[in-house]
Amino acid sequence: MSVSIKELISKMTLEEKASLVVGAGKSQRVPGAAGETRSIKRLGIPSIVMTDGPQGVRIEGDGKPYVATAFPSAIVLASTWNPEVVEKVGMAIGEEAREYGVDILLAPGVNIHRNPLCGRTFEYFSEDPLLTGEISSAYVKGVQSQGVGACVKHFVANNQETNRRIIDTIASERVLREIYLRGFEIAIKKAKPWAVMSAYNKLNGEYCSENEWLLTKVLREEWGFEGIVMSDWGAGENPVKQLKAGNDLIMPGSDEQVKVLIEAVKKGELSEEILNRSVERILKVMTKTLTLRGYKYSNKPDLERHAKIAYEAAAEGIVLLKNDNNALPLSSDAKIAVFGTGQIETLRGGLGSGWTHPKYVVSILDGLRERKLNVDVELAEKYEKYVKEMRKRKEYKPESPDIPLPPLPQDFLSEEEIEKYAKRNDVALIVITRLSGEGRDLKPEKGGFYLSDDERKLLEKVSKCFHKYEKKVVAILNIGQPIEVYSWEKLVDAILLIWQPGQEAGRVVADVLIGVINPSGKLPITFPKDYNDVPSWSFPGEPPENPVKVVYYEDIYVGYRYYGTFGVEPAYPFGHGLSYTKFEYSDLKVELREDHLTVRFKVKNVGKYPGKEVAQVYVSPPRGRVPKPLLELKGFHKTRMLKPGEVEEVEVKIPLDLLASHINGKWVVESGEYEIRVGSSSRDIRLRARITITKTLTYGFKILQ
Ligand code: GLC
């Protein structure tokens, strides 16, 4: 495309323009990729290829998926609180996309965790918009540094899978701007993704893909987004409304939709200027693609090097929830009895377009064996035999080769057998798994948010037998979203939350268990004591039997913003995560400048292990006038690896407009006294300081520039 884009458009026929804004259906160039635009040979305009997904390149091929690294799920990346690590993952996924001929990667997922039952919680980052925005930005930068475009999705408020294609999300402008849009806003302003994917759901009565307020006023006029907006696959109903709203590319696309657009222009229902606007945006992004630059991709990405990056990211994202009396780390010669079929059917990630096809997944059992840990052989073989036999049975036949569904019964060992293992081992590991994904929200019932009866029975038996001999019990949670832990956590001495950590799972678990890795992950989402404590009680909408509308009654009180403000104690709070060492905070100094706060303090490793600490900076606003959460995350910093005795001086800069509330169409920072809270979690505050903002600050829409 040597001529200028304007000249090119002037040469295009109406048919050619309409064909450019509607996808080609399936991908021809890279069979099994999620989608492709239509080429226009007459004008030398090639097609561009796009594919999923956030956890790794997913190209299903003609029945033979491309092998690509299964990186840790998004929720693990967020649990690292480490943008540098996340950027490296983005670079690696970007490289794999590039080498497989992909121009745009349909990732990252930037939706907020409104409710823990959402099936795609594994695929999104956090209940907090700042953490979401910072981690998304790092991911996008990483991907795009490889010449591949990133596509932040699903814009916006796609916070459930139930009836996702038609559900009407009713939310206030304030909560959209302060919570659900904010992560996208930060990513778009900081990392400039080439594309945005509009969501399936409706927003206050209009499909997101047909919503001009969303796609033009907010996204382009206020935030200055210059890339393309593509629809989710088959989203919305009316191609004319989609184009008018600012949805430039309709995916996956059908010939019928092309015809509808041509007819609409001919009938004067759609102006050619609107069509040209989207054509121009698409051509501008196309000029950046590797296809346009004639890149000769190898089909041989460096999977070996990327495996190490997947391992490192998982190592930083594992969260140690509980560790009574230093049950962990284990000595490397500890005798270990492993319970739970998840030791074998270890989950690397969740289902749907975010699924992956790695060369291997190191199961927890294989990881322990590979690290030559002292695993009880007889018990391991009993579990391997059990899983093999059960998966042959009709009722437990897996849905597809590498999808371990339906869940297997966990309680098949008698108390006597377990007692035998308790006598001859030092520690019991119990693996609990949960698999959800696109189109599959969890249910607030046993086997969903709550343990199943057989999981609970297994936990109770193992706890009873091992504690009888004063042996330790460690639960390993291989889950994609929070589950109920409060009713049983007393049964175990330690809880290791590995989420769905990608293909290197077993190696990371083994290394954390024996202290080769000192866990440094922190919760990006609250673990509530019970589902009834969750503020988003309207999930998944009304009427309950077949929801068509979901009202965000809790408004800005999402996650810890609710639990903290209304005094509801969680099982484990946002930002929580233990280490094998201890950190001390000191010397807090806060300076108020013209347009920002500078928060300085020191973090010292006062324990016995080298470790990294995620220091979090929360701001508690003046009480009384504008209703606000008790506290909100406004900055964070993950230290380097600190040796025992080492100190890191931390400086966090907070732009004042980040404190603003969206009130009556304006961003307002109220005058008054603000408390700065620095801590190791949202409820483990170590340092406090107060600053006074003397006059109320008001901003237009140009904030966070
Ligand atoms: C799916 C998903 C979206 C994905 C797209 C292409 O329905 O919602 O995340 O990128 O279709 O597979």
Side-chain angles (χ1 to χ4, degrees):
M1 263 196 312
S2 52
V3 295
S4 84
I5 287 180
K6 292 269 188 228
E7 269 175 74
L8 199 48
I9 295 174
S10 68
K11 293 194 172 75
M12 291 171 78
T13 65
L14 170 59
E15 289 67 19
E16 285 167 338
K17 290 177 193 174
S19 75
L20 200 63
V21 300
V22 176
K26 287 166 68 70
S27 173
Q28 310 302 325
R29 277 180 40 210
V30 180
E36 190 170 329
T37 60
R38 295 164 189 251
S39 60
I40 303 175
K41 291 190 181 28
R42 181 178 75 85
L43 296 170
I45 298 173
S47 63
I48 58 167
V49 174
M50 47 195 86
T51 205
D52 299 298
Q55 196 177 338
V57 174
R58 183 177 70 91
I59 301 173
E60 307 272 317
D62 290 330
K64 190 175 175 325
Y66 287 44
V67 175
T69 308
F71 292 91
S73 306
I75 200 164
V76 178
L77 299 184
S79 301
T80 69
W81 291 62
N82 190 334
E84 275 165 47
V85 163
V86 174
E87 186 166 345
K88 279 169 59 179
V89 171
M91 288 171 72
I93 296 184
E95 185 187 317
E96 292 192 17
R98 182 186 68 214
E99 293 314 316
Y100 279 139
V102 174
D103 293 297
I104 295 179
L105 182 74
L106 303 172
V110 182
N111 293 107
I112 288 290
H113 293 150
R114 173 183 182 242
N115 185 292
L117 299 179
C118 174
R120 297 181 84 165
T121 300
F122 78 97
E123 208 170 356
Y124 302 148
F125 294 118
S126 174
E127 68 189 27
D128 178 83
L130 178 69
L131 182 60
T132 297
E134 293 300 333
I135 299 296
S136 304
S137 301
Y139 185 104
V140 168
K141 275 186 200 148
V143 169
Q144 296 190 158
S145 69
Q146 302 305 302
V148 172
C151 175
V152 291
K153 67 187 186 180
H154 310 89
F155 193 61
V156 74
N158 178 183
N159 303 108
Q160 65 186 62
E161 289 303 294
T162 304
N163 291 350
R164 63 180 178 153
R165 288 172 182 264
I166 54 100
I167 196 85
D168 188 2
T169 300
I170 309 299
S172 71
E173 180 173 358
R174 179 180 183 193
V175 76
L176 289 173
R177 287 183 178 280
E178 290 187 26
I179 304 289
Y180 296 101
L181 288 166
R182 178 51 51 89
F184 288 94
E185 179 180 15
I186 293 170
I188 284 163
K189 290 179 177 175
K190 274 189 98 162
K192 299 188 179 354
W194 292 4
V196 167
M197 183 187 292
S198 56
Y200 279 124
N201 52 286
K202 290 179 182 173
L203 181 66
N204 296 323
E206 266 198 320
Y207 283 112
C208 287
S209 63
E210 301 173 6
N211 193 310
E212 188 165 355
W213 175 82
L214 181 68
L215 304 183
T216 297
K217 183 172 183 312
V218 173
L219 182 61
R220 294 188 189 276
E221 290 168 8
E222 293 186 15
W223 296 355
F225 175 67
E226 291 177 336
I228 54 173
V229 175
M230 69 175 82
S231 71
D232 201 337
W233 268 229
E237 281 170 357
N238 183 328
V240 174
K241 283 186 77 175
Q242 286 173 326
L243 261 292
K244 284 180 177 174
N247 191 99
D248 307 299
L249 181 57
I250 299 168
M251 294 304 288
S254 69
D255 296 347
E256 180 52 31
Q257 288 165 323
V258 177
K259 285 196 199 100
V260 164
L261 291 175
I262 293 166
E263 278 314 300
V265 171
K266 286 180 177 165
K267 283 190 222 153
E269 289 161 6
L270 174 67
S271 77
E272 194 138 2
E273 284 64 43
I274 294 281
L275 188 54
N276 292 348
R277 176 180 75 174
S278 292
V279 167
E280 182 174 3
R281 288 169 181 163
I282 291 169
L283 291 175
K284 273 186 182 160
V285 164
M286 265 187 183
T287 55
K288 299 196 276 191
T289 61
L290 291 160
T291 294
L292 250 294
R293 288 155 43 184
Y295 182 75
K296 296 282 167 276
Y297 54 90
S298 66
N299 272 327
K300 291 197 199 66
D302 189 346
L303 300 181
E304 209 154 307
R305 187 170 62 81
H306 297 166
K308 294 186 178 58
I309 293 172
Y311 169 91
E312 273 167 32
E316 288 242 357
I318 280 191
V319 184
L320 182 58
L321 291 179
K322 174 179 180 167
N323 191 23
D324 286 358
N325 312 314
N326 297 321
L328 293 177
L330 307 174
S331 64
S332 51
D333 62 356
K335 294 200 280 301
I336 305 171
V338 192
F339 298 90
T341 58
Q343 66 182 284
I344 293 152
E345 296 186 325
T346 304
L347 301 174
R348 80 273 204 164
L351 297 174
S353 58
W355 191 240
T356 50
H357 298 283
K359 198 168 168 185
Y360 57 79
V361 175
V362 181
S363 71
I364 290 170
L365 182 56
D366 285 348
L368 298 174
R369 284 171 168 156
E370 189 185 87
R371 291 323 199 226
K372 309 242 179 304
L373 299 190
N374 209 339
V375 170
D376 189 302
V377 173
E378 183 198 293
L379 179 58
E381 287 170 359
K382 191 183 279 282
Y383 263 94
E384 284 174 318
K385 187 164 172 291
Y386 174 74
V387 170
K388 200 157 162 249
E389 292 306 309
M390 294 297 274
R391 286 298 177 202
K392 283 186 194 140
R393 290 197 196 169
K394 196 170 50 56
E395 67 270 39
Y396 293 112
K397 213 155 185 45
E399 282 185 16
S400 88
D402 64 345
I403 296 187
L405 274 178
L408 295 178
Q410 296 301 307
D411 176 32
F412 64 93
L413 295 168
S414 68
E415 197 162 312
E416 292 66 36
E417 283 176 291
I418 294 174
E419 174 134 8
K420 178 180 73 172
Y421 297 119
K423 279 184 192 149
R424 70 190 202 198
N425 287 288
D426 301 317
V427 63
L429 307 182
I430 305 182
V431 184
I432 303 279
T433 63
R434 275 295 174 282
L435 185 52
S436 65
E438 187 169 342
R440 297 168 190 252
D441 287 335
L442 273 196
K443 296 245 181 301
E445 62 194 26
K446 289 178 181 177
F449 186 75
Y450 298 96
L451 289 188
S452 59
D453 286 337
D454 54 308
E455 286 170 334
R456 190 176 293 276
K457 282 201 198 89
L458 174 66
L459 260 167
E460 286 164 350
K461 284 186 210 170
V462 170
S463 176
K464 182 179 167 199
C465 295
F466 276 72
H467 285 153
K468 180 177 168 185
Y469 296 95
E470 293 177 6
K471 312 291 182 72
K472 304 284 186 191
V473 179
V474 177
I476 296 178
L477 304 185
N478 180 207
I479 55 181
Q481 64 252 86
I483 61 170
E484 190 275 329
V485 296
Y486 188 63
S487 66
W488 55 267
E489 53 119 8
K490 299 262 178 304
L491 296 174
V492 301
D493 304 287
I495 302 178
L496 201 54
L497 170 62
I498 67 169
W499 296 120
Q500 289 161 354
Q503 66 182 49
E504 303 300 318
R507 291 175 175 140
V508 180
V509 169
D511 289 347
V512 168
L513 287 173
I514 57 171
V516 167
I517 296 168
N518 180 0
S520 63
K522 299 274 184 177
L523 287 180
I525 179 173
T526 304
F527 268 66
K529 277 184 181 169
D530 188 80
Y531 183 68
N532 296 313
D533 291 349
V534 167
S536 48
W537 55 270
S538 65
F539 179 101
E542 49 196 279
E545 62 278 4
N546 190 17
V548 291
K549 173 173 89 166
V550 59
V551 182
Y552 286 13
Y553 295 106
E554 77 282 1
D555 203 59
I556 57 173
Y557 301 100
V558 177
Y560 73 92
R561 287 173 165 80
Y562 168 75
Y563 301 111
T565 307
F566 298 98
V568 177
E569 189 80 22
Y572 293 106
F574 175 82
H576 170 75
L578 302 177
S579 168
Y580 293 150
T581 191
K582 293 259 175 279
F583 295 99
E584 217 165 65
Y585 289 63
S586 65
D587 300 346
L588 174 60
K589 289 187 188 59
V590 179
E591 283 169 28
L592 175 56
R593 288 278 175 278
E594 182 62 27
D595 63 353
H596 69 278
L597 283 177
T598 306
V599 180
R600 292 188 185 86
F601 53 93
K602 289 176 186 163
V603 177
K604 180 176 183 181
N605 181 344
V606 293
K608 297 199 307 283
Y609 275 88
K612 294 184 178 183
E613 168 66 330
V614 177
Q616 301 153 47
V617 181
Y618 295 88
V619 174
S620 194
R623 310 306 323 144
R625 272 136 331 157
V626 171
K628 295 273 285 180
L630 171 70
L631 80 175
E632 294 183 292
L633 182 75
K634 294 300 177 187
F636 61 91
H637 171 78
K638 188 161 199 175
T639 68
R640 65 179 187 279
M641 185 65 82
L642 295 176
K643 294 193 193 69
E646 250 193 313
V647 176
E648 180 166 329
E649 300 200 2
V650 180
E651 177 176 302
V652 172
K653 207 171 150 188
I654 301 173
L656 278 187
D657 54 15
L658 191 61
L659 308 185
S661 306
H662 194 264
I663 305 292
N664 306 327
K666 289 222 175 317
W667 288 102
V668 178
V669 176
E670 281 208 288
S671 62
E673 190 173 74
Y674 288 74
E675 186 175 77
I676 312 303
R677 300 183 180 189
V678 176
S680 190
S681 91
S682 57
R683 285 179 175 249
D684 179 4
I685 300 301
R686 308 289 182 85
L687 304 168
R688 293 167 192 262
R690 292 176 181 284
I691 52 113
T692 301
I693 293 180
T694 49
K695 65 180 179 43
T696 293
L697 308 170
T698 307
Y699 303 84
F701 58 74
K702 287 220 172 297
I703 62 166
L704 303 182
Q705 296 301 318

